[in-house]
Amino acid sequence: MEKQLDPMKDDLPLMANTSHMLVKHYTLDLDVDIESQSIEGSIVFFLETGSRYRNSSSADEGGCHSRPDETCKMGAPEPCHVPVTGPSACSSEAEDNDCAASDKGEKDTSDKNGNHSNGEQASGIPGLKSCCDMEDPGSTGFMLVLDCCDLSVLKVEEVDVAAVADAEKLTGSAKVRDASEELGDLRNRIVHELVTLPAHRWEEQLCYYRCCSQAPACGDLAFATGPWSLEIRKPGIHAPKDFPHAIRIRYRTKAEGRSVTWTTDQSGRPCVYTMGSPINNRALFPCQEPPIALSTWQATVRTDAQFVVLMSGENSAEPVPLQEGVLSWYYYVTMPMPASTFTIAIGCWQEFKQQPFTTNVWTNSDFSLPFSKADYRWHEERCGHVEYPCRFQNPDMRLQSVIPYRVFAPWCLMESCKDLALWLLPQCLSAAYTTLGTHPFSRLDVLIVPSNFSSLGMASPHIIFLSQSVLPGGPHLCGARLCHEIAHAWFGLAIGARDWTEEWISEGFATYLEDIFWARAQQVRRQYLTSLLICNYFRPHRENTGEVSESGASVVKHGLKAEKIFMQVHYLKGYFLLRFLARTIGEASYLTSLRKFVHKFHGQLVLSQDFLCMLLEDIPEQKGSGLTIESIFQNWLDTSGIPKPLLEEGETWKECQLVQQVSGEVTKWIQTNQKIRKRSKKKIKQDEVIFQKLLPDQLVLLLESLLEEKTLCARTLQCLEKTYKLREQDAEVRHRWCELVVKHKYVHGYGDVEKFLREDQAMGVYLYGELMVNEDAKQQELAHKCFAAAREHMDVSSAKVVAEMLF
């Protein structure tokens, strides 16, 4: 029987009561002070009554979802001039004005003692019931619960959207303000009409959002903070439909908040970026984090003029000068996305301009399949998502094989970025388009993040973070990683998992498509890595996957475990499942079904069975293979360890020519090592052994095979490094080289280990453990030395895992 887990230490709680109220749009107005490591400002929530508590009258008004017969269309927006009345009026150039400056006189309620806290109770709500024990919103008093931690919440207030001139026009009646309609009902009705404006009026909608967010307050709301939540009430409100649908929260981040990382870049200049950490964005701004809470957003960010602000936004923002030395940046998103995908990076980034576009766009006929007539018929069908300006329904967007892109990095990485990332991007984007069709997002920024970034890459809407570790050693690792992150635009972002425990829907697909996009023999590394599969489950909730509590609150199982970010099971096991399905069904039929799945489910949340049902129903030929959803669940998703079909197929991989070539080279090195040991005082002639040139993946396989050898002498390791110039290879190869150095106590290679732990923190965590396990004094001293130098700027999860190894 599984032990009970402490949700404060293991499972990540998703506290927001999304079944009661749902955020439809966020408007952020922030000041970022890099020197003091703080972000301060306000966020305005535009809410709708949740699906379980929307009464019949509000449902009749249209709800928050598009009707089945609506089609996503992109049209010319109407001009928007929405002045605001009242003392807090702002102009249409709202991004140029600090119209919603933080109330700096408010008391900071932060708790200085806890790692995850939001401060003391505030605004007079003694004994507020925990949202873990959520009450029926219709019984006594309704409470709005938001996900929040490590924030100083200064003030919560209701926004008087009725004070915005012309806002009442949204209701479609000039006589709505009469005795029969309460002012609070009018405000909520205005918000409802605003969040349900049709997609072709998206620019007007954004303008209304901006102006409404700057409207004056019409009363403070009582609030209290818990370790993981912000709880808000208004006296006399007993049901979600009567709760204010536009609220403003003024807050300040804490330097220790795990949603953002304050550090220095490779040039030694200060910067900050969001982590995509286990706690997501709740330490950046209060939000709703359950996957079902899809929302749009717009953000104005002000900071010193020396810094560049990058963000997940559909527009390539141009800075607007404010007072001397301060710039304002404005971004927006019109495709509803989870709040966890909101990404920001601020630093002294340098943009590396692309060269004039050439026709030399890489493709590979083995993997790139032409679109059929059926593909175009799919685009004539209606989208299944809520209404937004959808690229899949725009003919011009459907023909855009390479979306606009930019590359940013510190100046010191200029040459490597120009030689690799900037050159590879159009090829990878074109390959992705050829495989899956329409790009879900309109543009792409790529940022080379600081060395303390905890993984090789991270994808967010419109922006990709890449580790500097992918740059050295040629195009192989950089190109493959770009393809992996680009694949997330479809799987992980445009199509998300309804239950976050089903990470394989994101990472498994991205790992599989990485091969297809890159169109090279990646199978060598993937085949060998089957032995490294972690015994784990894809669906820890099994048949309860996707279920939430009555309020909408839930947990992400094991979401807070520090070592979770280093586990590869969702990548590798997901890859092998998809590869198994493709081999069973046939590559061509499989990729055609994949494109159909993308078109049908983009903009939506899915579970495993959604993909499997469509795949098996779409390909009747597979019935003879014995594939069923039940068998896939049993063999792959609901059992730990290496699936039986994978074990049966494993023997055939040894017949691969590339694998056989590596096996031959391994034999040569074992024989060479034996000769060196026998003739320790004699040099082996250079022409005595001829070693073949190997691809990067083959080098990884070679080094991992040599790791199984009990003893390799120092001269063998010296010859090995010289033969393949291992210090100049990519990070995947250098990591295995460092493992050999540590295992065989090759003192002349300790400098390589130290450099790797300093510059390749995204991959070096477990090298610390290997340095400690040998119980060698020099190696343990090296581990402690490297950790002491890197710990201050290291990712929190990485630092925790390493500390447990060392102390």
Side-chain angles (χ1 to χ4, degrees):
M1 183 174 180
E2 189 175 28
K3 66 179 181 178
Q4 293 297 314
L5 300 171
D6 182 352
M8 304 303 287
K9 296 181 180 179
D10 199 308
D11 295 350
L12 174 68
L14 305 178
M15 310 293 277
N17 52 343
T18 54
S19 295
H20 300 163
M21 295 199 76
L22 206 57
V23 177
K24 305 302 292 182
H25 185 82
Y26 300 94
T27 299
L28 295 97
D29 191 79
L30 305 174
D31 291 284
V32 179
D33 190 330
I34 300 288
E35 183 176 353
S36 66
Q37 297 188 351
S38 69
I39 299 174
E40 185 172 352
S42 66
I43 180 171
V44 176
F45 298 75
F46 295 89
L47 301 129
E48 276 279 77
T49 305
S51 58
R52 296 188 182 181
Y53 291 92
R54 188 176 301 135
N55 61 25
S56 58
S57 61
S58 62
D60 292 339
E61 291 171 1
C64 60
H65 298 282
S66 59
R67 294 183 297 274
D69 60 343
E70 290 177 326
T71 303
C72 302
K73 296 180 180 179
M74 182 83 95
E78 300 177 8
C80 179
H81 302 285
V82 191
V84 177
T85 61
S88 299
C90 71
S91 70
S92 59
E93 298 176 342
E95 63 272 19
D96 298 346
N97 302 296
D98 190 4
C99 299
S102 299
D103 190 344
K104 301 184 187 300
E106 290 293 325
K107 178 183 178 182
D108 185 346
T109 61
S110 61
D111 179 358
K112 303 298 182 184
N113 300 319
N115 291 327
H116 297 291
S117 65
N118 298 307
E120 303 168 358
Q121 282 191 161
S123 296
I125 320 179
L128 185 61
K129 183 179 291 188
S130 168
C131 58
C132 293
D133 184 24
M134 180 61 63
E135 61 187 337
D136 182 348
S139 57
T140 55
F142 172 70
M143 178 172 65
L144 174 67
V145 182
L146 301 173
D147 294 299
C148 177
C149 80
D150 294 332
L151 290 177
S152 296
V153 178
L154 308 176
K155 193 174 188 178
V156 182
E157 56 194 13
E158 182 178 357
V159 179
D160 187 8
V161 294
V164 177
D166 297 332
E168 291 183 17
K169 291 182 179 179
L170 291 170
T171 64
S173 172
K175 298 181 179 180
V176 292
R177 192 182 297 212
D178 54 31
S180 65
E181 184 169 26
E182 295 290 339
L183 190 55
D185 293 336
L186 173 61
R187 296 186 186 114
N188 287 354
R189 187 176 174 189
I190 289 173
V191 172
H192 170 76
E193 297 298 332
L194 175 55
V195 302
T196 55
L197 280 176
H200 71 274
R201 297 174 65 182
W202 65 270
E203 282 192 330
E204 180 185 4
Q205 185 182 46
L206 285 175
C207 189
Y208 270 116
Y209 277 137
R210 171 55 63 89
C211 292
C212 286
S213 71
Q214 305 294 350
C218 53
D220 290 351
L221 298 175
F223 69 91
T225 54
W228 292 105
S229 65
L230 171 64
E231 302 162 352
I232 304 170
R233 283 191 181 182
K234 181 178 180 179
I237 298 300
H238 300 283
K241 67 181 181 63
D242 299 319
F243 191 82
H245 284 31
I247 62 172
R248 180 187 295 119
I249 299 174
R250 301 183 187 275
Y251 72 97
R252 183 186 305 122
T253 63
K254 298 180 181 179
E256 68 270 20
R258 286 179 59 189
S259 294
V260 293
T261 294
W262 304 89
T263 186
T264 54
D265 65 19
Q266 291 85 342
S267 299
R269 308 184 75 173
C271 62
V272 61
Y273 63 90
T274 51
M275 279 299 298
S277 69
I279 64 169
N280 299 313
N281 275 325
R282 62 184 69 188
L284 176 62
F285 58 87
C287 55
Q288 290 184 335
E289 294 226 318
I292 194 65
L294 302 178
S295 60
T296 55
W297 60 75
Q298 57 194 142
T300 298
V301 178
R302 292 171 294 276
T303 192
D304 289 350
Q306 63 178 308
F307 298 110
V308 173
V309 178
L310 302 178
M311 192 181 297
S312 47
E314 294 169 17
N315 59 315
S316 299
E318 294 294 334
V320 177
L322 299 180
Q323 65 266 33
E324 184 178 355
V326 177
L327 295 178
S328 176
W329 303 74
Y330 171 73
Y331 288 89
Y332 63 83
V333 165
T334 62
M335 176 182 175
M337 300 288 296
S340 59
T341 64
F342 181 98
T343 306
I344 189 170
I346 303 174
C348 299
W349 319 125
Q350 177 72 33
E351 180 184 356
F352 302 111
K353 302 290 186 180
Q354 63 190 66
Q355 300 299 317
F357 187 77
T358 67
T359 58
N360 186 26
V361 175
W362 169 91
T363 59
N364 187 299
S365 58
D366 292 336
F367 292 100
S368 301
L369 301 177
F371 292 119
S372 65
K373 293 181 179 179
D375 290 329
Y376 292 104
R377 285 199 299 270
W378 300 339
H379 290 288
E380 296 173 2
E381 299 174 0
R382 300 179 179 89
C383 294
H385 52 68
V386 298
E387 191 179 9
Y388 65 82
C390 179
R391 289 174 54 84
F392 284 77
Q393 292 297 327
N394 187 308
D396 294 333
M397 307 296 183
R398 294 205 302 264
L399 298 176
Q400 193 175 29
S401 62
V402 178
I403 56 177
Y405 60 89
R406 304 183 297 181
V407 175
F408 292 86
W411 181 258
C412 62
L413 298 178
M414 176 183 66
E415 291 304 320
S416 53
C417 285
K418 283 185 176 180
D419 292 344
L420 285 179
L422 197 61
W423 171 67
L424 291 170
L425 256 178
Q427 302 173 18
C428 297
L429 288 168
S430 178
Y433 170 83
T434 306
T435 306
L436 293 180
T438 308
H439 289 279
F441 301 103
S442 58
R443 67 177 195 91
L444 178 63
D445 285 340
V446 174
L447 172 66
I448 308 299
V449 284
S451 59
N452 67 341
F453 189 63
S454 60
S455 68
L456 289 181
M458 183 181 78
S460 299
H462 317 284
I463 186 169
I464 287 173
F465 289 172
L466 277 187
S467 167
Q468 65 178 27
S469 297
V470 306
L471 296 178
H476 175 79
L477 182 58
C478 184
R481 197 67 203 189
L482 275 173
C483 287
H484 182 98
E485 303 305 334
I486 288 171
H488 277 310
W490 287 269
F491 291 93
L493 294 175
I495 300 174
R498 187 147 54 91
D499 187 314
W500 280 348
T501 61
E502 291 205 296
E503 295 173 70
W504 83 275
I505 294 176
S506 174
E507 297 300 349
F509 275 94
T511 305
Y512 174 78
L513 289 166
E514 171 188 323
D515 280 357
I516 305 299
F517 292 175
W518 191 230
R520 289 180 62 178
Q522 298 296 309
Q523 290 88 341
V524 175
R525 177 164 63 95
R526 305 303 181 193
Q527 291 165 0
Y528 185 74
L529 284 175
T530 56
S531 62
L532 300 182
L533 282 174
I534 300 170
C535 293
N536 210 333
Y537 303 94
F538 271 7
R539 300 197 313 159
H541 294 309
R542 306 287 178 83
E543 64 275 3
N544 296 321
T545 298
E547 292 185 4
V548 298
S549 68
E550 187 273 342
S551 70
S554 61
V555 298
V556 180
K557 203 168 185 64
H558 309 302
L560 289 176
K561 296 186 71 172
E563 61 270 26
K564 181 175 182 292
I565 64 174
F566 305 109
M567 293 181 178
Q568 297 292 303
V569 62
H570 295 287
Y571 295 75
L572 300 177
K573 200 172 178 182
Y575 165 84
F576 283 117
L577 168 57
L578 297 174
R579 186 175 179 275
F580 165 75
L581 293 173
R583 287 168 63 94
T584 303
I585 294 170
E587 190 90 343
S589 297
Y590 178 77
L591 289 179
T592 299
S593 291
L594 205 57
R595 288 198 297 273
K596 184 176 180 180
F597 179 78
V598 164
H599 182 78
K600 181 176 181 180
F601 286 100
H602 70 273
Q604 300 176 67
L605 302 172
V606 300
L607 296 174
S608 297
Q609 51 263 42
D610 295 316
F611 168 69
L612 296 174
C613 282
M614 201 206 81
L615 179 67
L616 299 185
E617 291 175 0
D618 193 50
I619 306 177
E621 309 93 77
Q622 58 76 34
K623 292 182 179 179
S625 67
L627 272 184
T628 64
I629 294 178
E630 292 74 19
S631 66
I632 294 173
F633 279 163
Q634 181 178 355
N635 291 328
W636 293 87
L637 303 183
D638 292 344
T639 56
S640 61
I642 303 175
K644 183 179 179 181
L646 192 57
L647 289 172
E648 295 172 349
E649 187 183 2
E651 290 300 315
T652 64
W653 294 337
K654 296 179 181 179
E655 301 173 3
C656 171
Q657 181 180 356
L658 295 176
V659 175
Q660 289 181 339
Q661 184 180 8
V662 173
S663 297
E665 297 304 293
V666 170
T667 300
K668 291 179 186 178
W669 279 109
I670 293 174
Q671 294 172 347
T672 298
N673 184 61
Q674 293 171 346
K675 292 178 182 179
I676 290 176
R677 293 180 65 187
K678 290 179 180 179
R679 296 181 289 175
S680 58
K681 295 183 179 179
K682 297 180 181 180
K683 290 185 178 180
I684 296 180
K685 297 179 181 179
Q686 292 293 323
D687 59 351
E688 194 168 319
V689 181
I690 299 176
F691 295 103
Q692 296 186 40
K693 186 176 181 180
L694 299 178
L695 298 170
D697 276 340
Q698 291 179 297
L699 275 177
V700 170
L701 180 54
L702 171 76
L703 297 179
E704 289 192 344
S705 298
L706 293 177
L707 275 168
E708 298 177 7
E709 292 299 305
K710 185 176 181 179
T711 304
L712 293 178
C713 63
R715 286 176 60 193
T716 301
L717 292 170
Q718 182 184 25
C719 183
L720 183 72
E721 194 285 320
K722 183 178 180 181
T723 299
Y724 299 115
K725 298 181 179 179
L726 295 178
R727 294 188 176 103
E728 301 174 15
Q729 296 293 336
D730 67 39
E732 293 272 14
V733 175
R734 287 185 287 110
H735 182 268
R736 272 68 176 189
W737 164 241
C738 289
E739 289 182 295
L740 278 172
V741 168
V742 173
K743 177 176 179 177
H744 299 290
K745 300 179 182 179
Y746 180 51
V747 177
H748 294 293
Y750 284 1
D752 299 335
V753 176
E754 182 176 355
K755 182 180 180 182
F756 194 91
L757 292 177
R758 185 177 67 252
E759 298 181 0
D760 298 282
Q761 294 182 32
M763 301 181 64
V765 167
Y766 287 116
L767 275 180
Y768 284 100
E770 294 174 29
L771 286 168
M772 298 300 293
V773 77
N774 281 335
E775 297 184 354
D776 178 86
K778 287 186 178 180
Q779 290 192 0
Q780 292 185 351
E781 181 183 357
L782 176 61
H784 283 276
K785 174 186 174 182
C786 293
F787 186 52
R791 184 171 192 171
E792 181 181 357
H793 295 289
M794 189 177 285
D795 166 70
V796 174
S797 296
S798 301
K800 182 178 179 181
V801 171
V802 174
E804 291 175 353
M805 296 175 179
L806 268 59
F807 304 106

